[in-house]
Amino acid sequence: TKLILLDSLLQEMTMFVRMLTSTVKMATSARSTVLRPCTAANRNMIMFYSKVPRGYKAQQQQAERKIGFVGYIFLVVPATTFCLGVWQYNRRRWKIDKIAELDQKVKRADPISLPDNLEECPDLEYMRVKIKGRFDNSKEIFIGPRSLLDMHGGSGGFGVISSGDKVGWHVITPFQVEGGPRILINRGWIPRTKMDPSQRKEGQLEGPVEIIGIMRQDEETSSLTPPNKVESDSWYSRDISALASRLNTEKVFLDLDGESSRYAADRGGPIGGQTRISLRNDHVQYMLTWWGITIATSILWAKRFIW
């Protein structure tokens, strides 16, 4: 009996040692992503350590995620928006250089003579042109309302003074070039109180004068700009063809510069130098918008196909 009890005790101790050994092995292999299969030795043992190793599920999901054809198709979106942002950056650089070029033409470039072939004039916009001749003050057209531009606005266009008494009209007058064509001159800005020429007699230039003007083309208008009413001489924008037809001139339009208008302006006449360099430069906004979309779509793509 004692031998039977001793043999049973030895078997239970052996089983306990096997269970302890198996538990230790499972604990030491917790970092493994694949659990060891059950064997005959531990099939009937109580599993004391059954927790899935940390990171096992995430690694399994990551292994199951593949970019595939669809993933590469969606990658086109951030790539395209990034390229559009670079394009807007280059456009901004070009626009800054263009504004500087126009600023040079309008303010500091040496004036040229009016070309004999007037068909070349559209290619000379913002160029300074020197001419000599006479104003036909008997015929004037007013374009407005317009805000007065001073001489300190930089390349943006001389700066708009927005106070109420600084809203008026531009005076468009025919000018007979000496030995040349009859053209249009924007003599400058006047307040509404001086639209009657009798209120600015001393500012009406008579006789031969030598002036410098800035070559201009038709004005770009928005949907908010009313159409010109030629019959009633109500003009809201610079339409050179219509103005030339109305005043019987060639289709050439010059903005009188500030220095050439100083004599008349000091005597109550129109204030010249009303050339506005109107080039929109909002490329920074578009650039940041495209790159913002690039960052957002890149994060979403990585979260869907990588993370």
Coordinates of all heavy atoms in Angstrom, one line a residue, residues 248-301:
N248 N -14.5 110.9 -82.2 CA -13.9 110.9 -83.5 C -12.4 111.0 -83.4 O -11.7 111.9 -83.9 CB -14.4 112.2 -84.3 CG -14.0 112.1 -85.7 OD1 -13.8 111.1 -86.3 ND2 -13.9 113.3 -86.4
T249 N -11.8 110.0 -82.7 CA -10.4 109.9 -82.6 C -9.9 108.5 -83.0 O -10.7 107.6 -83.3 CB -10.0 110.1 -81.1 OG1 -10.4 109.0 -80.3 CG2 -10.5 111.5 -80.6
E250 N -8.6 108.3 -83.0 CA -8.0 107.0 -83.2 C -8.2 106.2 -81.9 O -8.4 106.8 -80.8 CB -6.6 107.1 -83.6 CG -6.3 107.8 -84.9 CD -6.8 107.0 -86.1 OE1 -7.0 105.8 -86.0 OE2 -7.0 107.7 -87.1
K251 N -8.0 104.9 -82.0 CA -8.2 104.0 -80.8 C -6.9 103.9 -80.0 O -6.3 102.9 -79.8 CB -8.6 102.6 -81.3 CG -10.0 102.6 -82.0 CD -10.3 101.2 -82.5 CE -11.7 101.2 -83.3 NZ -12.0 99.9 -83.8
V252 N -6.5 105.1 -79.5 CA -5.3 105.2 -78.7 C -5.6 106.0 -77.5 O -6.2 107.1 -77.6 CB -4.1 105.9 -79.5 CG1 -2.9 106.1 -78.6 CG2 -3.8 105.2 -80.8
F253 N -5.3 105.5 -76.3 CA -5.7 106.0 -75.0 C -4.5 106.2 -74.1 O -3.8 105.2 -73.9 CB -6.8 105.2 -74.4 CG -7.5 105.8 -73.2 CD1 -8.7 106.3 -73.3 CD2 -6.8 105.8 -72.0 CE1 -9.4 106.8 -72.3 CE2 -7.5 106.4 -70.9 CZ -8.8 106.9 -71.0
L254 N -4.3 107.4 -73.6 CA -3.2 107.6 -72.7 C -3.7 108.2 -71.4 O -4.6 109.1 -71.4 CB -2.1 108.6 -73.3 CG -1.4 108.3 -74.6 CD1 -0.5 109.4 -75.0 CD2 -0.7 106.9 -74.5
D255 N -3.1 107.7 -70.3 CA -3.3 108.4 -69.0 C -2.3 109.4 -68.8 O -1.1 109.1 -68.8 CB -3.2 107.3 -67.8 CG -4.5 106.5 -67.7 OD1 -5.5 106.9 -68.2 OD2 -4.4 105.4 -67.1
L256 N -2.7 110.7 -68.6 CA -1.7 111.8 -68.4 C -1.0 111.5 -67.0 O -1.6 111.2 -66.0 CB -2.4 113.1 -68.3 CG -1.6 114.4 -68.4 CD1 -0.9 114.4 -69.8 CD2 -2.4 115.6 -68.2
D257 N 0.3 111.6 -67.0 CA 1.1 111.4 -65.8 C 1.0 112.6 -64.8 O 0.6 113.7 -65.2 CB 2.5 111.0 -66.1 CG 3.4 112.1 -66.5 OD1 2.9 113.2 -66.8 OD2 4.6 111.9 -66.6
G258 N 1.4 112.4 -63.6 CA 1.2 113.4 -62.6 C 2.0 114.7 -62.9 O 1.5 115.8 -62.7
E259 N 3.2 114.5 -63.4 CA 4.0 115.7 -63.6 C 3.5 116.6 -64.8 O 3.5 117.8 -64.7 CB 5.5 115.3 -63.9 CG 6.5 116.4 -64.0 CD 6.6 117.1 -62.7 OE1 6.5 116.4 -61.6 OE2 6.9 118.3 -62.7
S260 N 3.0 115.9 -65.8 CA 2.4 116.7 -66.9 C 1.1 117.4 -66.6 O 0.7 118.4 -67.2 CB 2.1 115.7 -68.1 OG 3.3 115.1 -68.6
S261 N 0.4 116.9 -65.5 CA -0.8 117.6 -65.1 C -0.7 118.5 -64.0 O -1.6 119.1 -63.6 CB -1.8 116.5 -64.7 OG -1.4 115.9 -63.5
R262 N 0.6 118.7 -63.5 CA 0.8 119.5 -62.3 C 0.3 121.0 -62.5 O -0.3 121.6 -61.6 CB 2.2 119.5 -61.9 CG 2.5 120.2 -60.5 CD 4.0 120.0 -60.2 NE 4.4 118.6 -60.1 CZ 4.2 117.9 -59.0 NH1 3.5 118.4 -58.0 NH2 4.6 116.6 -59.0
Y263 N 0.6 121.5 -63.7 CA 0.3 123.0 -63.9 C -1.2 123.1 -63.8 O -1.7 124.0 -63.2 CB 0.8 123.4 -65.3 CG 0.5 124.8 -65.6 CD1 1.3 125.9 -65.2 CD2 -0.7 125.1 -66.4 CE1 0.9 127.2 -65.5 CE2 -1.0 126.4 -66.7 CZ -0.2 127.5 -66.3 OH -0.5 128.8 -66.6
A264 N -2.0 122.3 -64.5 CA -3.4 122.4 -64.5 C -4.0 122.0 -63.2 O -5.0 122.7 -62.7 CB -4.0 121.5 -65.6
A265 N -3.5 121.0 -62.5 CA -4.0 120.6 -61.2 C -3.8 121.7 -60.2 O -4.7 121.9 -59.3 CB -3.3 119.3 -60.7
D266 N -2.7 122.4 -60.2 CA -2.5 123.5 -59.3 C -3.5 124.7 -59.5 O -3.7 125.5 -58.6 CB -1.1 124.1 -59.4 CG -0.1 123.1 -58.9 OD1 -0.4 122.2 -58.2 OD2 1.1 123.2 -59.3
R267 N -4.2 124.7 -60.6 CA -5.2 125.8 -60.9 C -6.6 125.2 -61.0 O -7.5 125.8 -61.6 CB -4.8 126.4 -62.3 CG -3.5 127.2 -62.1 CD -2.8 127.5 -63.5 NE -1.7 128.4 -63.3 CZ -0.5 127.9 -62.9 NH1 -0.3 126.7 -62.5 NH2 0.5 128.8 -62.8
G268 N -6.8 124.1 -60.3 CA -8.1 123.6 -60.2 C -8.5 122.6 -61.3 O -9.7 122.1 -61.4
G269 N -7.6 122.2 -62.2 CA -7.9 121.3 -63.3 C -7.7 119.9 -62.8 O -7.5 119.6 -61.6
P270 N -7.9 118.9 -63.7 CA -7.8 117.5 -63.4 C -6.4 117.1 -62.8 O -5.4 117.7 -63.2 CB -8.1 116.8 -64.7 CG -8.8 117.8 -65.6 CD -8.2 119.1 -65.2
I271 N -6.5 116.2 -61.9 CA -5.2 115.7 -61.3 C -4.8 114.4 -62.0 O -5.5 113.4 -62.0 CB -5.5 115.4 -59.8 CG1 -6.0 116.6 -59.1 CG2 -4.2 114.8 -59.1 CD1 -6.4 116.4 -57.6
G272 N -3.7 114.4 -62.7 CA -3.2 113.3 -63.4 C -2.6 112.2 -62.6 O -2.7 112.3 -61.3
G273 N -1.9 111.3 -63.2 CA -1.3 110.2 -62.5 C -2.3 109.2 -61.9 O -2.1 108.6 -60.8
Q274 N -3.3 109.0 -62.6 CA -4.4 108.1 -62.2 C -4.3 106.7 -62.8 O -5.3 106.0 -62.9 CB -5.8 108.7 -62.5 CG -6.0 110.0 -61.9 CD -5.9 110.0 -60.4 OE1 -6.6 109.3 -59.7 NE2 -5.0 110.8 -59.8
T275 N -3.1 106.3 -63.1 CA -2.9 104.9 -63.6 C -2.8 103.9 -62.5 O -1.9 104.0 -61.7 CB -1.6 104.9 -64.5 OG1 -1.7 105.8 -65.5 CG2 -1.4 103.5 -65.1
R276 N -3.7 103.0 -62.5 CA -3.7 101.9 -61.5 C -3.2 100.6 -62.1 O -3.7 100.1 -63.1 CB -5.1 101.7 -60.9 CG -5.2 100.6 -59.9 CD -6.6 100.5 -59.4 NE -7.0 101.7 -58.7 CZ -8.3 101.8 -58.2 NH1 -9.1 100.9 -58.4 NH2 -8.6 103.0 -57.7
I277 N -2.1 100.1 -61.5 CA -1.6 98.8 -62.0 C -2.5 97.7 -61.3 O -2.2 97.3 -60.2 CB -0.1 98.6 -61.7 CG1 0.7 99.8 -62.3 CG2 0.4 97.3 -62.2 CD1 2.1 99.8 -61.9
S278 N -3.5 97.3 -62.0 CA -4.4 96.3 -61.4 C -4.1 94.9 -61.8 O -4.7 94.4 -62.7 CB -5.9 96.7 -61.8 OG -5.9 96.7 -63.3
L279 N -3.2 94.3 -61.1 CA -2.8 92.9 -61.3 C -3.1 92.2 -60.0 O -2.5 92.5 -58.9 CB -1.4 92.7 -61.7 CG -1.0 93.2 -63.1 CD1 0.5 92.9 -63.3 CD2 -1.8 92.5 -64.2
R280 N -4.0 91.3 -60.0 CA -4.3 90.5 -58.8 C -3.2 89.6 -58.4 O -2.6 88.9 -59.3 CB -5.6 89.7 -59.0 CG -6.9 90.5 -59.2 CD -8.1 89.6 -59.4 NE -8.3 88.7 -58.2 CZ -9.2 87.8 -58.2 NH1 -9.9 87.6 -59.3 NH2 -9.3 87.0 -57.1
N281 N -2.8 89.6 -57.1 CA -1.7 88.7 -56.7 C -2.2 88.0 -55.4 O -1.7 88.2 -54.3 CB -0.5 89.6 -56.4 CG 0.7 88.7 -56.1 OD1 0.7 87.5 -56.4 ND2 1.8 89.3 -55.6
D282 N -3.1 87.1 -55.6 CA -3.7 86.3 -54.5 C -3.2 84.8 -54.6 O -3.9 83.9 -54.1 CB -5.2 86.3 -54.5 CG -5.8 86.0 -55.8 OD1 -5.0 85.7 -56.8 OD2 -7.0 86.2 -56.0
H283 N -2.0 84.6 -55.2 CA -1.5 83.3 -55.4 C -1.1 82.6 -54.1 O -1.1 81.4 -54.0 CB -0.3 83.3 -56.4 CG -0.7 83.7 -57.7 ND1 -1.4 83.0 -58.6 CD2 -0.4 84.9 -58.4 CE1 -1.6 83.7 -59.7 NE2 -1.0 84.8 -59.6
V284 N -0.7 83.4 -53.0 CA -0.4 82.8 -51.7 C -1.6 82.1 -51.2 O -1.4 80.9 -50.6 CB 0.1 83.9 -50.8 CG1 0.3 83.3 -49.4 CG2 1.4 84.5 -51.2
Q285 N -2.7 82.6 -51.3 CA -4.0 82.0 -50.8 C -4.2 80.6 -51.5 O -4.5 79.6 -50.9 CB -5.2 82.9 -51.0 CG -6.5 82.3 -50.7 CD -7.7 83.2 -51.0 OE1 -7.5 84.4 -51.3 NE2 -8.8 82.6 -51.1
Y286 N -4.1 80.6 -52.8 CA -4.3 79.4 -53.6 C -3.2 78.4 -53.3 O -3.4 77.2 -53.1 CB -4.3 79.7 -55.1 CG -5.5 80.5 -55.5 CD1 -5.3 81.6 -56.4 CD2 -6.7 80.3 -55.1 CE1 -6.3 82.4 -56.8 CE2 -7.8 81.0 -55.5 CZ -7.6 82.1 -56.4 OH -8.7 82.8 -56.8
M287 N -1.9 78.9 -53.1 CA -0.8 78.0 -52.8 C -1.0 77.3 -51.5 O -0.9 76.0 -51.4 CB 0.5 78.8 -52.8 CG 1.7 78.0 -52.5 SD 3.2 79.1 -52.4 CE 2.8 80.2 -51.0
L288 N -1.4 78.0 -50.4 CA -1.6 77.4 -49.1 C -2.8 76.5 -49.2 O -2.8 75.5 -48.5 CB -1.8 78.5 -48.1 CG -0.6 79.4 -47.8 CD1 -0.9 80.5 -46.8 CD2 0.6 78.6 -47.4
T289 N -3.8 76.8 -49.9 CA -5.0 75.9 -50.0 C -4.6 74.6 -50.6 O -5.0 73.5 -50.1 CB -6.1 76.6 -50.9 OG1 -6.5 77.8 -50.3 CG2 -7.3 75.7 -51.0
W290 N -3.9 74.6 -51.8 CA -3.5 73.3 -52.4 C -2.6 72.5 -51.5 O -2.8 71.3 -51.4 CB -2.8 73.6 -53.7 CG -3.7 74.1 -54.8 CD1 -3.7 75.2 -55.6 CD2 -4.9 73.4 -55.3 NE1 -4.7 75.3 -56.5 CE2 -5.4 74.2 -56.4 CE3 -5.5 72.2 -55.0 CZ2 -6.6 73.8 -57.1 CZ3 -6.6 71.8 -55.7 CH2 -7.2 72.6 -56.7
W291 N -1.7 73.1 -50.8 CA -0.8 72.4 -50.0 C -1.5 71.9 -48.7 O -1.1 70.8 -48.2 CB 0.5 73.2 -49.6 CG 1.4 73.3 -50.8 CD1 1.4 72.5 -51.9 CD2 2.5 74.2 -50.9 NE1 2.5 72.8 -52.7 CE2 3.2 73.8 -52.2 CE3 3.1 75.2 -50.2 CZ2 4.3 74.5 -52.6 CZ3 4.2 75.9 -50.6 CH2 4.8 75.5 -51.9
G292 N -2.5 72.6 -48.2 CA -3.3 72.1 -47.1 C -4.0 70.9 -47.5 O -4.1 69.9 -46.7
I293 N -4.6 70.9 -48.7 CA -5.3 69.7 -49.2 C -4.3 68.5 -49.3 O -4.6 67.4 -49.0 CB -6.0 70.0 -50.5 CG1 -7.1 71.0 -50.3 CG2 -6.6 68.7 -51.1 CD1 -7.7 71.4 -51.6
T294 N -3.1 68.8 -49.8 CA -2.0 67.8 -49.9 C -1.8 67.1 -48.6 O -1.7 65.9 -48.5 CB -0.7 68.4 -50.5 OG1 -1.0 69.0 -51.7 CG2 0.3 67.3 -50.6
I295 N -1.6 67.9 -47.5 CA -1.3 67.4 -46.2 C -2.5 66.5 -45.7 O -2.3 65.4 -45.2 CB -1.0 68.5 -45.2 CG1 0.3 69.2 -45.6 CG2 -0.8 68.0 -43.8 CD1 0.6 70.5 -44.8
A296 N -3.7 67.1 -45.8 CA -4.9 66.4 -45.3 C -5.1 65.0 -46.0 O -5.3 64.0 -45.4 CB -6.1 67.2 -45.5
T297 N -5.0 65.0 -47.4 CA -5.2 63.8 -48.1 C -4.0 62.8 -47.9 O -4.3 61.6 -47.9 CB -5.3 64.1 -49.6 OG1 -4.2 64.9 -50.1 CG2 -6.6 64.9 -49.9
S298 N -2.8 63.3 -47.7 CA -1.7 62.4 -47.4 C -1.9 61.7 -46.1 O -1.6 60.5 -46.0 CB -0.4 63.2 -47.4 OG -0.1 63.7 -48.7
I299 N -2.4 62.4 -45.1 CA -2.6 61.8 -43.8 C -3.7 60.7 -43.9 O -3.6 59.6 -43.3 CB -3.0 62.8 -42.7 CG1 -1.8 63.7 -42.4 CG2 -3.5 62.2 -41.4 CD1 -2.1 64.9 -41.5
L300 N -4.8 61.1 -44.6 CA -5.9 60.1 -44.8 C -5.4 58.9 -45.5 O -5.8 57.7 -45.2 CB -7.1 60.8 -45.5 CG -7.8 61.9 -44.7 CD1 -8.8 62.6 -45.6 CD2 -8.4 61.3 -43.4
W301 N -4.6 59.1 -46.5 CA -4.1 57.9 -47.3 C -3.2 57.0 -46.5 O -3.4 55.8 -46.5 CB -3.4 58.5 -48.5 CG -2.9 57.4 -49.5 CD1 -3.6 56.9 -50.5 CD2 -1.6 56.7 -49.4 NE1 -2.8 55.9 -51.1 CE2 -1.6 55.8 -50.5 CE3 -0.5 56.8 -48.6 CZ2 -0.5 55.0 -50.7 CZ3 0.6 56.0 -48.8 CH2 0.6 55.1 -49.9

